[in-house]
Amino acid sequence: MDTIVQLIRNALCCIKDLGLFEGTFIHEAKYTHRLADLPSPLDETTPLEVLISITQLYACVSTARSGFNLLTSSVGKLRRILRIVEYRMTATSSNQKTKQPSTEADRIVNESLLKEAKFAFRSVIIGILVTPIGVCFWWLFINSWHVTSVDWFGGLPALIHALEVMELCLLPLLYLMIKDGFEMLAKSKRTGGVLENLKNGKITAASGIGIQSYETMTGWVPFWDAGTTMFADPVEGEMALVEKEVKSVEENLSAWFETKKGEKEEKINRQALADAEEKLETAVPVLRFEGYREFIYFVLNFVAFYGYLMAFVAFYGYLMAPLTFYWDDDETQPYHIQSMMFGYRNVDADWTGNFAGDLMWTVEPLIVLGSPFLVAMLKPQKKVKAD
């Protein structure tokens, strides 16, 4: 739903930027005034701006709530993982006293806990960044109603400061997009390497399988993968669930690598490993696509970031907004400010920056919505054996 609303919001902004359907009722404030007796400056709002404001208010509530929920649920997830790690450390100490060695299943589970802990910490950071972005959409919402032309809610300076906060929060997210892109490509390469080694018989024991490969081969999602309430108490039987996960991993590893007695058992073993190899083969192009997609997201968001940085002569734009707000005189702008705006005058920088940002954030949700279809096309087709 959020993606669809983003698409609608930025598409409407593009219509406004380009002046499409000019001369129709969507650009006439008098039609809005007919619906209600609005005071000044709200009576200047056109039907198109009303539609944009509705999507901006949705983004304000939805983004702020999503960011806060991500923050709190990730903290809860970290607390749960910490409990599990403490439990397993205690269990390991007991096993050492009784001389029971750790198994490969224990290693896989430990790697999963470490991976999910890192992901939860990263999600906390993302939640901290996304929440204020959502709150700042409030000033975009009231700006669509021309409220920032007066001193309500801080006026134009408050809008500018809100946009500065949004831009500062977006910077680390841009870095994470690049990081995710390289990580996905590396993951695709590693998956391909594991697949090749399995087919060549170079991996004959569970020790050659890491957490990434195991998850791909089985689709395993442990219960500690999900977020939970920040102050949630331990679930009853939580540690029993941990042991259940360990047992499940042991069974899968045994199905692939344990030497079976009898022809029938060996056939089952080979089939289980063949099914796992098929999942690895499917994952390689998908992971590669997801890596390149992250780079596309980075390019789109960077253009939007820089475009909105170039905007805002008066009331519109995102990051160049502060530039034209603080250096509103074309003739007295420092050279480095003029260079950042490619020599554009404020009026041109305002329109170009806004349109570039709106266009990029219209294309992005289209890619998000189209990705499932592209992923389905990338998956290799299963070969049907002829009778």
Side-chain angles (χ1 to χ4, degrees):
M1 184 62 181
D2 290 354
T3 304
I4 295 174
V5 173
Q6 180 188 352
L7 173 61
I8 295 172
R9 180 180 69 248
N10 289 287
L12 291 173
C13 289
C14 287
I15 291 174
K16 180 180 177 181
D17 294 336
L18 296 172
L20 299 178
F21 311 110
E22 195 167 354
T24 62
F25 75 96
I26 64 172
H27 293 284
E28 297 289 340
K30 62 182 181 182
Y31 289 98
T32 305
H33 194 59
R34 288 179 182 177
L35 299 176
D37 188 14
L38 300 173
S40 178
L42 275 63
D43 58 353
E44 301 173 14
T45 308
T46 66
L48 178 59
E49 290 171 329
V50 172
L51 293 175
I52 293 173
S53 71
I54 293 171
T55 60
Q56 289 170 332
L57 182 60
Y58 176 90
C60 174
V61 175
S62 176
T63 306
R65 184 181 62 183
S66 297
F68 182 75
N69 289 342
L70 179 63
L71 169 62
T72 56
S73 64
S74 297
V75 171
K77 178 177 177 177
L78 278 172
R79 293 182 68 241
R80 179 165 59 189
I81 290 175
L82 180 60
R83 289 196 302 269
I84 295 173
V85 169
E86 290 176 346
Y87 164 75
R88 289 184 59 75
M89 288 178 66
T90 304
T92 300
S93 299
S94 300
N95 288 341
Q96 288 177 347
K97 291 179 181 179
T98 57
K99 297 182 180 181
Q100 295 181 9
S102 297
T103 64
E104 291 296 334
D106 289 319
R107 175 182 61 81
I108 294 290
V109 169
N110 292 340
E111 289 179 5
S112 175
L113 289 167
L114 178 60
K115 178 179 76 71
E116 292 302 329
K118 290 179 178 178
F119 187 80
F121 179 75
R122 166 201 166 106
S123 296
V124 169
I125 302 300
I126 293 176
I128 293 173
L129 296 170
V130 169
T131 303
I133 290 177
V135 173
C136 290
F137 262 102
W138 170 257
W139 278 269
L140 295 178
F141 163 70
I142 64 174
N143 178 61
S144 293
W145 287 89
H146 301 268
V147 171
T148 49
S149 61
V150 293
D151 291 335
W152 302 350
F153 297 99
L156 179 59
L159 172 64
I160 294 298
H161 296 322
L163 295 168
E164 289 171 345
V165 170
M166 294 176 78
E167 293 288 335
L168 289 174
C169 291
L170 182 58
L171 269 175
L173 297 177
L174 288 173
Y175 163 74
L176 290 177
M177 292 175 195
I178 298 177
K179 184 174 181 294
D180 287 347
F182 283 114
E183 187 175 324
M184 285 295 182
L185 293 179
K187 190 174 180 180
S188 174
K189 186 176 181 180
R190 288 195 300 269
T191 302
V194 171
L195 175 62
E196 184 178 352
N197 289 335
L198 280 172
K199 288 183 174 180
N200 294 337
K202 293 182 179 179
I203 296 180
T204 57
S207 58
I209 301 297
I211 179 59
Q212 173 200 311
S213 301
Y214 180 82
E215 288 178 340
T216 305
M217 295 165 73
T218 60
W220 182 50
V221 180
F223 75 91
W224 56 79
D225 174 85
T228 186
T229 309
M230 184 188 298
F231 302 107
D233 294 325
V235 179
E236 185 178 353
E238 190 172 63
M239 299 313 158
L241 292 175
V242 176
E243 296 303 326
K244 186 177 179 181
E245 296 285 3
V246 174
K247 184 177 180 181
S248 173
V249 175
E250 286 178 343
E251 290 174 352
N252 283 321
L253 294 177
S254 297
W256 296 334
F257 299 110
E258 187 177 285
T259 303
K260 305 289 184 180
K261 294 182 179 180
E263 184 178 345
K264 183 178 179 180
E265 289 78 5
E266 287 292 337
K267 185 177 180 181
I268 295 174
N269 180 295
R270 288 194 299 271
Q271 183 59 48
L273 197 55
D275 292 341
E277 290 175 359
E278 184 178 338
K279 292 179 180 178
L280 288 173
E281 188 174 3
T282 300
V284 171
V286 172
L287 290 170
R288 188 183 302 116
F289 165 76
E290 290 176 348
Y292 290 133
R293 185 181 60 185
E294 287 297 323
F295 290 125
I296 294 174
Y297 287 159
F298 166 76
V299 171
L300 294 174
N301 281 274
F302 179 78
V303 171
F305 170 87
Y306 201 86
Y308 289 134
L309 178 63
M310 282 182 27
F312 271 116
V313 169
F315 310 116
Y316 310 101
Y318 290 38
L319 180 66
M320 262 317 171
L323 298 184
T324 56
F325 177 76
Y326 294 121
W327 291 279
D328 58 346
D329 188 346
D330 290 316
E331 304 302 328
T332 59
Q333 282 178 345
Y335 175 76
H336 64 278
I337 298 299
Q338 294 179 353
S339 299
M340 289 182 68
M341 295 194 295
F342 303 107
Y344 285 141
R345 298 180 65 83
N346 279 353
V347 173
D348 298 325
D350 172 43
W351 186 89
T352 304
N354 271 293
F355 177 66
D358 293 336
L359 180 61
M360 294 302 102
W361 281 348
T362 302
V363 174
E364 183 182 35
L366 288 174
I367 295 176
V368 174
L369 294 171
S371 290
F373 302 100
L374 293 173
V375 168
M377 292 171 60
L378 288 171
K379 291 181 178 179
Q381 300 296 321
K382 293 184 179 180
K383 297 180 179 179
V384 180
K385 293 182 179 180
D387 293 334

